[in-house]
Amino acid sequence: MKLRSAVLVFLAVTLVFSRASAQQELDFLAGLTEFHDLHQMLPKYLKARANRMLAERREKVASWSGADDVARRKTYVRKTILEAIGALPERTPLNAKLVGLLDREDYKIEKLIFESQPNFFVTANLYLPKKGTGPYPAVLYPLGHERGGKSNPTWQRNLIGFARKGYAALTWDPIGQGERYQIYDEDFERRKVIRSTTEHSILGVQCILAGDNAARYTIWDGIRALDYLLSRPEVDTTRIACTGNSGGGTHTAYLSALEDRIHVAMPSCYLTSWSQLLDTLGPQDAEQNLLPWIGAGLDHADFIHAFAPRPYLMLSAIRDFFSISGSRSTYGEAQNVYRKLDAGEKIQMFEADDRHGYSKPRRLAGYDWLSRWFKGVEDRQPEPEGPIASFEELQATETGQVATSLGGETVFTLNQKRARQLDKGLPPFTNGSDAETFRASIRERARTVASVRIPTAEPAVRRYGKIERDGYHIRKFIYESEPGILIPSLLFVPEGSGRRPAIVYAHGRGKAFEAGAGQEIEKLTKAGHAVLAVDLRGMGETYSLQDDNGSDFPRYFGQWDSTMTALLMGESLVGMRAYDILQGLNVLAAMPEVDIERVSAIGKEAGGVPLLYAAALDDRIGGLLLENVLVSYAAVVNQRLHQGVFEHAAWGVLKSFDLPDLVAALTPRPVWITDAVNPLGNKIPLEDVNHVYSEAGRVYRTSGAADSLRITRRNENDDSTTGAYLEWFQRVAGSG
């Protein structure tokens, strides 16, 4: 028995090493010295393009001459913010309720609930002075991402300091924090995901697909909080400041840029520059990325320009993870603008030699700045202290969570309603003669929304040898899809002569994933097809595991930085990958062994959606097989959780089309969809897939091609599916 076990172990180890060796042979670039940083190809390419856009912007700002230029910029910044968030909601009754009170020696804390939108509850605390005479100057205090929401001790110290220095100060729980978890698990009594930033971004991706932004809800909460603050008789409406740290600094910048009712702005630990941010942390969670900010010619300094010439204090940390170099360059630009407005004394930057957070040195600088503009005197007094309340003492709901105390709307449900109201306005498809108009409309929408460019030249190809196998050989090469983007590729060529039908193969796990002996690509090749397997940018050998922005980010969002950077530039990663496929078709067209008139395609997992875009844009793909591919964008909006779909996102895509519409535009070309998956990557029942694709099915029937759209489930324990694939591709190639 011991000998038998040893033999089994030896065989298992041998098999593992054999597979590893074969994988290294097919994933060939990573072993070459010149490609040692291949995994950084995509982020480097995107950063370079974004930085060129930002450089052009800086040149334009430097040419401003005075007040008229700044006024135009203010209008443009506000317009861009509102377009990015899908406009502001309707102003409805706040239905504010005082639900409790903490009475301190010389101040009090009111516990409040109001509705920023109908049935969308906001939990808040209002700190009010008890000494002196009102009305008092006031502070709007949006919060950052630190734990505890409004009960975080640092926030309390600052809010107590304001109240004891004679300011009214209002703070509220942001979505996903404090008492306002949006994705709440009642069994575990906590949110389902680890961090608030992850929750924000799950919701944020859903908002992006609908053409909005998670900031639509966070900004509106802040504006309605301001409405409430100004409604209080204790508040002097002519002396309103806004300050917050980190995510609260973000919203200080947003709210101050949009609101003329704010008179002094003091963002802490947020403002840097996009150039420095891209080179360090990368884009942060969803509501901190207004799309397409960089593509629209904007940067962090534009939030200040939109507020000019009102008093603005940048509170920065030298050792912050937000680059101090970026903060300094942004301050320098804004300072020049204020000087052109003869308001140089109204902008200032305070740097503390510490780390991220609203630390005491910055709090003291903030008190002094406010006193200067609201009281006309310096404030160099110590920070007043007071007892730090517990979460339970400050909570406004009975259970400590809106979800279990009040229910109501969430960002998820509100965004669902927004998405349901969208009218794509697709052209009618009532008979076969409508096909060309319908197809042309979808193509234009795909090019525009996903920013898919059409290649104008054949890409350069660099060859790296070939591998001989039984009945076929594999050529290893790369093609340069565009300057800076290399596509590692494998061409499987059957023995014999003549021009072969071809298959473009895009798998989310890379070109070599099903390229082993006896696997699917080999079977297709031995059946007479030339197969081009490619690593689309950011896949296979070019995959880049980027900064996780929180411990569970990669699980949900994949390559967040690259995807969001593309969206910030007004483009999309899915559109760029579709372009890679179009270039792959050009490579095939130049090969004498390939019959470009008989080309089909296979897209699996993350390779499927960009391949679908490419097929919708290029008739050279005569047939398309999609396996384990996201069923629709609408499914992402309608399912509370998702993972692995963000790389397919295009901003506002659901305003124009969905994935089934792209399939419908392929009629009468053959399309086979098998094992479509939901937004969590799980296979969904066949009847549900048929329901999602019912309109695409009607289009195919109307075209007289009902049999050309096939929707099935694959039996993993039955190899007959592979045989059916072979038969199907033979028919598609024959029809080509």
Side-chain angles (χ1 to χ4, degrees):
M1 288 296 292
K2 289 183 178 180
L3 177 60
R4 182 172 179 270
S5 297
V7 170
L8 290 175
V9 169
F10 173 77
L11 291 174
V13 171
T14 301
L15 179 60
V16 168
F17 276 106
S18 175
R19 287 179 175 173
S21 176
Q23 185 74 19
Q24 290 171 1
E25 190 176 35
L26 296 178
D27 282 343
F28 55 96
L29 293 187
L32 301 177
T33 304
E34 62 183 301
F35 299 111
H36 68 279
D37 62 346
L38 188 63
H39 64 289
Q40 285 298 315
M41 176 192 75
L42 179 59
K44 285 172 64 176
Y45 163 84
L46 291 167
K47 290 174 188 176
R49 287 197 55 203
N51 277 320
R52 286 196 293 271
M53 294 179 179
L54 292 166
E56 291 175 4
R57 174 208 164 271
R58 286 192 294 272
E59 289 181 7
K60 291 180 181 178
V61 172
S63 70
W64 292 354
S65 58
D68 289 344
D69 292 313
V70 178
R72 281 191 291 270
R73 193 61 157 196
K74 176 179 180 177
T75 300
Y76 179 64
V77 170
R78 288 188 173 183
K79 176 177 177 288
T80 304
I81 293 174
L82 294 176
E83 288 175 349
I85 66 175
L88 294 172
E90 178 186 359
R91 190 175 254 104
T92 52
L94 283 169
N95 298 325
K97 295 178 182 178
L98 174 63
V99 295
L101 179 71
L102 297 179
D103 199 359
R104 304 301 195 210
E105 180 181 353
D106 56 358
Y107 67 97
K108 60 183 178 179
I109 307 171
E110 294 185 354
K111 299 190 284 187
L112 308 164
I113 299 173
F114 63 85
E115 298 175 42
S116 63
Q117 297 186 59
N119 221 27
F120 188 51
F121 298 103
V122 180
T123 46
N125 292 146
L126 177 63
Y127 291 68
L128 287 171
K130 289 171 62 177
K131 64 181 182 181
T133 57
Y136 302 103
V139 178
L140 191 68
Y141 199 91
L143 297 184
H145 297 110
E146 282 80 356
R147 293 182 182 276
K150 61 188 180 304
S151 70
N152 183 278
T154 299
W155 312 147
Q156 288 193 59
R157 291 187 184 96
N158 205 181
L159 292 159
I160 291 167
F162 282 128
R164 296 194 67 191
K165 284 177 176 287
Y167 301 90
L170 178 64
T171 193
W172 62 98
D173 285 321
I175 59 170
Q177 295 170 247
E179 300 181 67
R180 297 183 69 207
Y181 291 174
Q182 302 289 290
I183 308 175
Y184 187 70
D185 191 315
E186 294 188 27
D187 294 323
F188 287 100
E189 296 184 349
R190 64 189 185 208
R191 59 173 160 255
K192 290 182 183 291
V193 296
I194 293 175
R195 299 193 180 191
S196 60
T197 50
T198 305
E199 181 176 295
H200 292 178
S201 298
I202 286 172
L203 299 168
V205 171
Q206 295 166 335
C207 293
I208 284 170
L209 294 175
D212 293 342
N213 190 291
R216 181 175 199 267
Y217 302 93
T218 55
I219 287 173
W220 191 239
D221 285 350
I223 290 175
R224 298 317 314 275
L226 178 59
D227 288 345
Y228 178 77
L229 186 63
L230 295 177
S231 74
R232 294 293 297 250
E234 302 95 332
V235 169
D236 181 350
T237 61
T238 67
R239 292 184 292 169
I240 305 296
C242 186
T243 189
N245 185 77
S246 190
T250 304
H251 283 83
T252 297
Y254 289 174
L255 292 166
S256 300
L258 289 170
E259 273 288 353
D260 290 330
R261 297 179 294 174
I262 294 172
H263 307 105
V264 175
M266 304 188 304
S268 173
C269 288
Y270 168 63
L271 288 177
T272 177
S273 71
W274 266 112
S275 180
Q276 286 295 316
L277 192 55
L278 292 176
D279 285 339
T280 52
L281 293 177
Q284 298 298 285
D285 53 308
E287 84 276 10
Q288 297 193 66
N289 301 291
L290 300 176
L291 307 178
W293 197 253
I294 296 174
L298 297 170
D299 201 347
H300 279 211
D302 287 296
F303 295 120
I304 307 177
H305 303 331
F307 193 74
R310 290 169 284 172
Y312 209 101
L313 175 64
M314 286 177 59
L315 296 165
S316 300
I318 292 174
R319 290 176 280 140
D320 196 353
F321 48 70
F322 286 120
S323 167
I324 191 64
S325 297
S327 302
R328 289 167 178 166
S329 65
T330 287
Y331 174 64
E333 178 182 301
Q335 191 177 38
N336 287 335
V337 169
Y338 267 69
R339 285 170 179 163
K340 290 178 181 179
L341 298 175
D342 295 324
E345 78 285 357
K346 291 184 178 180
I347 187 165
Q348 200 170 99
M349 179 177 178
F350 176 83
E351 298 182 13
D353 187 10
D354 55 20
R355 298 184 183 277
H356 192 78
Y358 215 144
S359 64
K360 190 171 184 178
R362 279 189 295 285
R363 299 199 302 270
L364 292 173
Y367 299 138
D368 185 46
W369 185 255
L370 278 195
S371 183
R372 175 180 174 183
W373 296 105
F374 284 170
K375 299 178 180 180
V377 296
E378 292 183 346
D379 180 354
R380 302 299 172 88
Q381 298 301 310
E383 181 177 51
E385 296 182 358
I388 300 300
S390 67
F391 180 95
E392 290 74 19
E393 287 177 294
L394 291 174
Q395 74 184 47
T397 60
E398 184 177 350
T399 64
Q401 282 298 320
V402 166
T404 51
S405 292
L406 303 172
E409 301 281 10
T410 64
V411 172
F412 171 70
T413 61
L414 290 172
N415 187 62
Q416 271 188 314
K417 291 177 180 178
R418 294 270 293 169
R420 283 198 294 267
Q421 294 169 357
L422 297 175
D423 180 7
K424 293 182 285 190
L426 291 171
F429 201 117
T430 56
N431 56 63
S433 63
D434 293 330
E436 187 53 42
T437 301
F438 182 83
R439 186 179 302 115
S441 176
I442 292 293
R443 283 183 170 179
E444 179 59 29
R445 292 162 186 244
R447 280 195 296 265
T448 302
V449 174
S451 192
V452 186
R453 290 167 291 130
I454 305 302
T456 58
E458 180 185 329
V461 176
R462 293 154 63 181
R463 294 170 175 79
Y464 290 87
K466 68 178 182 179
I467 305 167
E468 296 290 346
R469 287 193 176 170
D470 181 27
Y472 66 99
H473 68 265
I474 306 171
R475 297 180 194 170
K476 302 188 294 185
F477 62 91
I478 62 172
Y479 62 89
E480 192 169 22
S481 184
E482 59 182 305
I485 294 295
L486 305 177
I487 307 300
S489 307
L490 301 170
L491 183 67
F492 297 75
V493 183
E495 284 183 349
S497 59
R499 297 168 70 84
R500 309 283 185 162
I503 296 173
V504 177
Y505 182 92
H507 199 298
R509 294 190 237 185
K511 64 188 178 305
F513 187 70
E514 291 183 333
Q519 292 186 301
E520 193 161 274
I521 294 179
E522 182 178 270
K523 292 178 180 179
L524 291 168
T525 306
K526 287 187 173 182
H529 300 272
V531 180
L532 175 65
V534 295
D535 285 340
L536 303 177
R537 67 183 78 190
M539 294 183 179
E541 290 189 84
T542 68
Y543 175 76
S544 174
L545 179 59
Q546 298 161 350
D547 179 56
D548 61 13
N549 287 292
S551 58
D552 52 354
F553 243 61
R555 172 186 175 189
Y556 290 102
F557 309 115
Q559 294 174 95
W560 172 271
D561 287 9
S562 290
T563 307
M564 187 59 82
T565 302
L567 293 171
L568 282 162
M569 297 189 317
E571 302 184 29
S572 72
L573 184 54
V574 70
M576 293 176 181
R577 287 172 170 168
Y579 180 85
D580 296 338
I581 293 167
L582 298 179
Q583 285 287 50
L585 290 172
N586 289 338
V587 171
L588 281 176
M591 293 185 171
E593 303 90 342
V594 171
D595 184 354
I596 196 62
E597 299 297 323
R598 293 189 294 163
V599 176
S600 306
I602 299 176
K604 297 196 176 188
E605 299 181 10
V609 175
L611 189 58
L612 176 55
Y613 273 89
L617 292 169
D618 198 320
D619 290 335
R620 290 179 295 180
I621 298 178
L624 178 64
L625 189 152
L626 300 173
E627 183 179 296
N628 295 123
V629 174
L630 177 66
V631 66
S632 70
Y633 287 128
V636 181
V637 170
N638 291 320
Q639 185 162 318
R640 193 172 300 274
L641 291 173
H642 57 82
Q643 61 181 5
V645 302
F646 182 45
E647 293 178 21
H648 307 322
W651 181 45
V653 63
L654 285 173
K655 292 181 177 181
S656 295
F657 61 90
D658 201 346
L659 300 181
D661 299 316
L662 292 178
V663 169
L666 299 180
T667 186
R669 285 180 279 169
V671 176
W672 188 346
I673 300 170
T674 186
D675 289 348
V677 299
N678 67 16
L680 286 173
N682 301 321
K683 297 176 185 178
I684 53 183
L686 189 58
E687 58 269 26
D688 292 346
V689 186
N690 280 316
H691 176 72
V692 172
Y693 280 84
S694 59
E695 178 61 15
R698 185 194 69 79
V699 168
Y700 265 79
R701 291 192 299 273
T702 303
S703 300
D707 294 339
S708 292
L709 178 60
R710 181 182 298 187
I711 299 174
T712 64
R713 284 289 300 269
R714 181 171 186 167
N715 186 341
E716 295 179 354
N717 299 317
D718 184 358
D719 287 338
S720 63
T721 301
T722 300
Y725 283 177
L726 291 171
E727 181 183 344
W728 186 77
F729 277 113
Q730 294 286 29
R731 288 203 305 271
V732 172
S735 67

